Amino acid sequence: MKNKIVWPGSTQLAPIPVVLVGCGNGDDIPYNLITVAWAGTVCSDPAMLSVSIRPERHSYGIMMKTREFTVNLPSRKLARSVDFCGVVSGRDCDKFAKCGLHAEKGTEVTAPVVLECPITLECKLKETIALGTHTMFLAEICAIDLDSRLIDDKGRLDIERADLLAYAHGHYYGLGECIGHFGYSVRKKPGPVVRK
């Protein structure tokens, strides 16, 4: 492997999404947020995702009890709040209040939708898998809450308008410009594929 350095196996997959997981029901279990970078899509039909959380985290117990949560995709302007929610425990403070964020019950779950996040996935827990340092929460995506400003004049989602964050090796990044779309390499009709 010319010009390659080999390291032991570790968590170097990058970039990955960084999300705010909302939990609690706002009634007998106060709302809480936890920043998660170990998250991803796991199935298309039914639409499912996973988030992996350490059992000692405050949100872990809440999610095990309520068996539902939201995955809120933050914009670049929320980077400071995203970082705060990942390093401060909900046992010690109200993260919504500290970050100036606003919560609303989901339409399919009682967990909080973060109103400042452009996209929220409402999720119902299907299974947990203990993996080692983290437990994977596998959940079905029951509803998607979108900021109306993300919808273009043809009724399609324009994800670039969301200005989403990504995470790589301990750092936050804003996503760059679109350089293609799925299947563009085998397209039969010539035409532009890059959106500016």
Side-chain angles (χ1 to χ4, degrees):
M1 291 192 298
K2 190 176 181 180
N3 298 324
K4 294 279 187 177
I5 297 170
V6 179
W7 286 357
S10 64
T11 56
Q12 297 304 315
L13 179 65
I16 53 178
V18 59
V19 300
L20 287 170
V21 173
C23 57
N25 59 23
D27 297 322
D28 60 318
I29 305 172
Y31 287 149
N32 191 47
L33 291 170
I34 180 174
T35 299
V36 174
W38 298 168
T41 302
V42 296
C43 187
S44 300
D45 188 12
M48 294 181 70
L49 58 72
S50 72
V51 295
S52 293
I53 299 173
R54 291 178 181 265
E56 61 268 22
R57 298 298 295 265
H58 180 57
S59 295
Y60 179 93
I62 296 171
M63 292 164 64
M64 291 293 275
K65 185 172 183 179
T66 63
R67 302 195 60 80
E68 60 183 33
F69 54 92
T70 59
V71 174
N72 300 272
L73 309 185
S75 64
R76 182 190 306 238
K77 68 182 178 183
L78 293 175
R80 189 171 186 82
S81 296
V82 168
D83 187 64
F84 182 87
C85 291
V87 296
V88 174
S89 175
R91 290 184 187 97
D92 304 323
C93 75
D94 177 344
K95 295 183 190 181
F96 278 94
K98 282 283 190 184
C99 294
L101 299 175
H102 299 87
E104 191 172 278
K105 277 190 196 319
T107 56
E108 297 294 323
V109 299
T110 59
V113 170
V114 179
L115 297 180
E116 289 77 10
C117 287
I119 302 172
T120 299
L121 311 175
E122 299 184 28
C123 303
K124 291 188 179 177
L125 182 62
K126 294 298 181 189
E127 184 179 349
T128 58
I129 303 170
L131 299 173
T133 58
H134 290 68
T135 295
M136 180 187 290
F137 288 71
L138 292 170
E140 186 168 350
I141 303 166
C142 302
I144 301 173
D145 304 280
L146 299 166
D147 184 321
S148 60
R149 292 171 291 191
L150 302 182
I151 307 303
D152 69 17
D153 56 2
K154 295 181 180 172
R156 294 182 299 219
L157 173 62
D158 183 350
I159 198 79
E160 284 184 68
R161 294 179 185 179
D163 198 23
L164 297 176
L165 282 179
Y167 185 79
H169 196 59
H171 296 84
Y172 305 102
Y173 295 89
L175 294 181
E177 69 181 72
C178 175
I179 59 170
H181 60 81
F182 180 74
Y184 84 97
S185 64
V186 295
R187 228 176 125 150
K188 295 197 189 301
K189 293 182 180 179
V193 295
V194 176
R195 289 180 6 182
K196 300 257 180 180

